[in-house]
């Protein structure tokens, strides 16, 4: 099976496992895990922030960050199809009493004006006050789309003047950085908090890091413990993160090139499926609205050909490239995809 359901399916390589095996460890709740400490410092440094906090998942990194920025009964703005709103099981409401209001954006791509139009800081005694905005880069359900830096900068300028904080869900910020050449710091400078994932395209088995100011991260560390995610000898996991940062960032361009091949194959069957110029990174979002078959039907046909994809909506099929697939796998994927989509087109 060629597994393109997500870049989370990657497994630690032999070399990564050796780095994990050899890692110096200590009790991280006591602050004694040297490998975890250095990973947090490295990621904070890469993103130009004072401090970092290792978390077992990206969802927890996001949730700790927005908890620091938004008080119970206040409001976080986020895009309609963002991970924070759609894929974290309502955690912001359940754990933090945060209400969310959303703006809708084509492919999830940020326009500062869309957000500013609905932002309502200092709403007084009757209405909910906006205190933070979350931006997702790259945008997962938007098809791995990259957020324009000028729109981020404008949103930061305008929202800061209104006293509104900003969080970056940068689970795949690495992909945006590699695709554009824009430094991670240059993205991160516009945000109070940033979360990044080590367990997607970077190939670590577990882990995300949340970064921000020293004070904010110290408070988030208490909340991480309160949520039950104070971990002990996590140096073995942090070592995988170090290995990922050292070895697996630049190679993301391979994933992007391979996503282009898949998009081009689908486009050659019908341009309605996907426009390859809109595939910015490693996610190919296929639009099946022009055919009768549903995403789960196409998914089942692909599975019969040995290809695993994700049906994320009735007419939305997602294929994600990652470090555990090679050029041969992509060639086989294109052959299978052409066969399945041609059949679906005439059905
Ligand atoms: C994967 C992902 C996360 C975090 O997911 P976890 O499964 O909790 O690690 C957060 N944001 C985005 C955009 C993601 O794609």
């Amino acid at each position: 099976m060629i597994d393109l359901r997500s870049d989370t399916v990657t497994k630690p390589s032999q070399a990564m496992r050796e780095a994990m095996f050899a890692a110096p460890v200590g009790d991280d709740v006591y602050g004694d895990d040297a490998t975890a400490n250095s990973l947090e410092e490295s990621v904070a440094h890469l993103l130009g922030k004072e401090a970092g906090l290792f978390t077992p998942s990206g969802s927890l990194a996001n949730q700790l960050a927005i908890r620091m920025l938004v008080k119970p009964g206040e409001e976080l703005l986020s895009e309609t199809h963002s991970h924070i709103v759609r894929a974290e099981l309502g955690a912001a409401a359940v754990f933090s009493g945060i209400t969310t209001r959303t703006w809708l954006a084509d492919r999830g791509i940020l326009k500062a004006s869309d957000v500013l139009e609905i932002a309502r800081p200092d709403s007084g005694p009757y209405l909910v006050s906006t205190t933070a905005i979350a931006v997702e880069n790259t945008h997962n359900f938007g098809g791995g789309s990259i957020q324009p830096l000028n729109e981020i900068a404008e949103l930061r300028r305008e929202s800061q003047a209104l006293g509104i904080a900003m969080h970056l869900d940068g689970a795949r910020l690495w992909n945006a950085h590699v695709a554009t050449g824009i430094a991670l710091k240059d993205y991160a400078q516009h945000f109070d908090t940033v979360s990044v994932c080590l367990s997607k395209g970077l190939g670590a088995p577990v882990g995300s890091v949340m970064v921000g100011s020293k004070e904010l991260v110290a408070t988030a560390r208490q909340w991480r413990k309160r949520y039950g995610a104070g971990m002990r000898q996590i140096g073995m996991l942090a070592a995988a993160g170090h290995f990922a940062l050292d070895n697996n960032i630049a190679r993301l361009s391979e994933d992007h090139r391979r996503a282009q091949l898949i998009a081009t194959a689908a486009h050659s069957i019908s341009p309605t499926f996907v426009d390859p110029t809109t595939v910015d990174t490693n996610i190919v979002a296929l639009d099946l609205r022009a055919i009768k078959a549903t995403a789960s039907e196409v998914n089942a046909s692909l599975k019969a050909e040995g290809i695993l994809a994700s049906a994320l909506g009735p007419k939305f099929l997602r294929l994600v490239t990652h470090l555990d697939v090679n050029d041969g796998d992509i060639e086989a994927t294109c052959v299978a995809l052409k066969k399945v989509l041609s059949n679906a087109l005439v059905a």
Side-chain angles (χ1 to χ4, degrees):
M1 281 290 176
I2 298 168
D3 195 347
L4 302 174
R5 287 173 302 167
S6 174
D7 42 11
T8 56
V9 303
T10 51
K11 294 172 185 167
S13 63
Q14 189 60 34
M16 181 180 275
R17 286 167 195 245
E18 279 161 19
M20 295 169 74
F21 185 79
V25 298
D27 189 329
D28 187 59
V29 173
Y30 292 164
D32 285 351
D33 194 292
T35 313
N37 291 342
S38 72
L39 177 71
E40 290 172 347
E41 278 165 30
S42 301
V43 175
H45 179 77
L46 276 174
L47 294 166
K49 300 295 183 200
E50 285 175 359
L53 180 68
F54 184 84
T55 61
S57 71
S59 297
L60 185 58
N62 278 338
Q63 291 303 323
L64 289 172
I66 62 177
R67 160 142 229 147
M68 298 303 102
L69 304 179
V70 186
K71 292 209 267 299
E74 294 176 347
E75 172 180 78
L76 173 78
L77 302 182
S78 196
E79 201 276 330
T80 305
H81 299 292
S82 63
H83 195 278
I84 286 177
V85 166
R86 289 294 302 142
E88 298 182 10
L89 286 303
V94 174
F95 296 137
S96 308
I98 295 172
T99 67
T100 46
R101 203 146 48 88
T102 56
W103 76 89
L104 179 64
D106 182 34
R107 293 170 50 223
I109 295 174
L110 180 71
K111 275 204 279 231
S113 56
D114 288 347
V115 189
L116 293 165
E117 210 164 277
I118 64 166
R120 295 287 183 276
D122 307 320
S123 283
Y126 306 118
L127 301 173
V128 181
S129 293
T130 309
T131 46
I133 296 162
V135 175
E136 187 171 312
N137 193 15
T138 65
H139 197 296
N140 180 359
F141 298 142
S145 36
I146 295 171
Q147 303 300 359
L149 190 59
N150 62 330
E151 295 291 332
I152 294 172
E154 182 186 336
L155 184 60
R156 177 58 159 182
R157 225 171 16 249
E158 301 287 332
S159 63
Q160 208 163 28
L162 299 170
I164 298 173
M166 277 173 60
H167 169 67
L168 172 59
D169 178 354
R172 295 189 183 80
L173 188 65
W174 320 107
N175 297 80
H177 156 65
V178 166
T180 60
I182 294 171
L184 294 161
K185 269 184 203 178
D186 290 345
Y187 281 119
Q189 64 167 326
H190 300 292
F191 298 88
D192 299 283
T193 52
V194 182
S195 64
V196 288
C197 277
L198 303 164
S199 62
K200 293 195 164 146
L202 295 198
V206 176
S208 282
V209 180
M210 180 219 128
V211 301
S213 71
K214 257 193 197 133
E215 192 189 8
L216 215 140
V217 168
T219 310
R221 195 175 292 277
Q222 290 180 327
W223 277 99
R224 184 186 67 171
K225 182 77 170 76
R226 192 168 283 125
Y227 284 162
M231 298 162 285
R232 305 295 178 173
Q233 287 73 24
I234 52 172
M236 298 188 83
L237 301 176
H242 269 301
F243 184 92
L245 295 178
D246 293 343
N247 297 283
N248 292 344
I249 296 179
R251 65 148 306 284
L252 291 171
S253 60
E254 286 292 292
D255 299 343
H256 301 171
R257 179 179 62 76
R258 288 170 179 148
Q260 276 300 313
L261 295 175
I262 294 173
T264 305
H267 181 85
S268 74
I269 301 305
S270 163
T272 60
F273 292 133
V274 63
D275 173 357
T277 65
T278 65
V279 175
D280 291 342
T281 55
N282 68 324
I283 299 177
V284 183
L286 296 184
D287 178 352
L288 305 180
R289 282 177 297 184
I291 59 172
K292 248 199 234 133
T294 63
S296 23
E297 286 162 353
V298 172
N299 207 18
S301 306
L302 281 172
K303 192 171 176 183
E305 301 289 329
I307 313 297
L308 298 178
S310 289
L312 293 179
K315 290 287 181 178
F316 177 24
L317 191 72
R318 190 188 70 174
L319 297 99
V320 186
T321 57
H322 53 75
L323 88 173
D324 285 355
V325 291
N326 59 32
D327 283 331
D329 295 329
I330 299 302
E331 232 170 89
T333 300
C334 291
V335 170
L337 196 59
K338 282 185 185 174
K339 177 175 162 190
V340 167
L341 291 179
S342 318
N343 288 342
L345 198 59
V346 295

